[in-house]
């Protein structure tokens, strides 16, 4: 058995192929991944709690400057129209930041989300960031209890590790090769999986 070193030391290494064979994926499974996933590890239909992220904001904790903000527009489509929508739409985000973002030490991410008519206990997110196959940082956040049919807002604090100047230079030179997987669990079962990639060439 291979065992992972670093942030998740002691956990067995896992592969995407292995996890796709599992009937259920748990937090310790994704913490053993060594690289960004090529596919989504769950289906949109697995979101039985109807969790819907409606607003997202990123700010520099030191200055309060808002770096990114987006609000999901209301959907007025008919059921017939929704049949034609890609089921993975909304599961991927492409970010464009300036090079200065890579030197930030602490960032706050505010999320607003709604839930369906089932109460949610033990709502957890694990977010793993990679550059060219190298794990940069793994974040682990709890959302807390969510009452049925509620709108919820919380802010998670990302504390970034210091990056070498050589690594920063490479990340700027290779836009969108910095990538992340965001895994969402309810009662330790994967119910949502979102992906993102990043460019740090904005303003240059």
């Amino acid at each position: 058995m291979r065992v992972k070193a670093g942030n998740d030391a002691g956990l067995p290494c896992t592969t995407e192929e292995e996890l796709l064979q599992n009937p259920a994926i748990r937090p310790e499974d994704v913490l053993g991944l060594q690289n960004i996933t090529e596919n989504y590890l769950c289906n949109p239909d697995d979101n039985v709690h109807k969790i819907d992220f409606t607003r997202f904001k990123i700010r520099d904790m030191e200055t309060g400057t808002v770096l990114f903000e987006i609000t999901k527009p209301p959907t007025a489509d008919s059921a017939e129209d929704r049949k034609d929508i890609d089921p993975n739409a909304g599961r991927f985000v492409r970010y464009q930041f300036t090079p200065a973002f890579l030197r930030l030490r602490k960032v706050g991410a505010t999320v607003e989300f709604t839930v369906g008519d089932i109460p949610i206990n033990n709502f957890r997110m694990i977010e793993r960031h990679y550059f060219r196959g190298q794990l940069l940082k793994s974040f682990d956040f709890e959302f807390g209890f969510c009452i049925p049919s509620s709108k919820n807002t919380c802010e998670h604090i990302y504390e970034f590790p210091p990056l070498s100047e050589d690594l920063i230079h490479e990340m700027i030179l290779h836009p969108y090769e910095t990538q992340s997987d965001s895994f969402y669990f309810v009662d330790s079962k994967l119910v949502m999986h979102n992906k993102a990639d990043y460019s740090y060439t904005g303003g240059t």
Side-chain angles (χ1 to χ4, degrees):
M1 176 184 293
R2 294 182 302 149
V3 174
K4 187 177 185 304
N7 289 340
D8 310 309
L11 289 173
C13 293
T14 54
T15 67
E16 178 178 348
E17 291 74 19
E18 291 170 342
L19 297 190
L20 287 171
Q21 301 302 314
N22 290 354
I25 296 175
R26 303 197 174 276
E28 57 269 24
D29 296 326
V30 303
L31 288 171
L33 288 169
Q34 303 297 288
N35 208 334
I36 196 74
T37 60
E38 296 292 332
N39 304 285
Y40 293 102
L41 300 189
C42 64
N43 296 316
D45 291 344
D46 292 325
N47 181 16
V48 297
H49 297 83
K50 299 181 181 178
I51 301 163
D52 186 20
F53 292 99
T54 56
R55 189 172 70 90
F56 183 60
K57 179 178 74 173
I58 300 175
R59 68 184 180 105
D60 178 2
M61 294 297 292
E62 292 186 3
T63 65
T65 302
V66 174
L67 306 169
F68 178 87
E69 186 168 13
I70 188 169
T71 300
K72 182 179 179 179
T75 55
D77 298 328
S78 66
E80 188 65 30
D81 291 335
R82 286 194 293 271
K83 291 180 182 178
D84 298 326
I85 296 176
D86 180 354
N88 289 324
R91 302 178 78 186
F92 172 80
V93 178
R94 171 158 283 184
Y95 293 99
Q96 294 181 314
F97 295 117
T98 67
F101 188 93
L102 292 171
R103 293 182 169 81
L104 297 179
R105 297 275 67 84
K106 190 179 292 187
V107 165
T110 299
V111 292
E112 180 180 280
F113 62 97
T114 59
V115 300
D117 56 6
I118 304 174
I120 297 179
N121 293 290
N122 305 318
F123 186 22
R124 177 181 178 185
M125 177 184 76
I126 295 174
E127 187 170 288
R128 294 170 71 78
H129 290 247
Y130 301 87
F131 174 68
R132 291 188 152 190
Q134 173 188 349
L135 179 66
L136 300 175
K137 180 72 174 179
S138 186
F139 299 95
D140 199 330
F141 298 118
E142 299 281 349
F143 286 90
F145 175 73
C146 304
I147 64 174
S149 304
S150 61
K151 178 183 287 187
N152 306 270
T153 303
C154 65
E155 181 175 56
H156 293 139
I157 307 303
Y158 289 74
E159 295 188 12
F160 296 139
L163 304 175
S164 70
E165 288 300 316
D166 287 345
L167 182 56
I168 288 175
H169 181 68
E170 287 297 308
M171 292 169 72
I172 293 170
L173 281 181
H174 299 93
Y176 308 119
E177 293 191 42
T178 305
Q179 301 167 296
S180 67
D181 282 310
S182 297
F183 303 101
Y184 299 88
F185 299 87
V186 174
D187 293 330
S188 296
K189 180 181 178 181
L190 183 67
V191 297
M192 297 177 71
H193 178 194
N194 294 338
K195 301 173 73 64
D197 62 16
Y198 306 80
S199 168
Y200 303 99
T201 59
T204 60

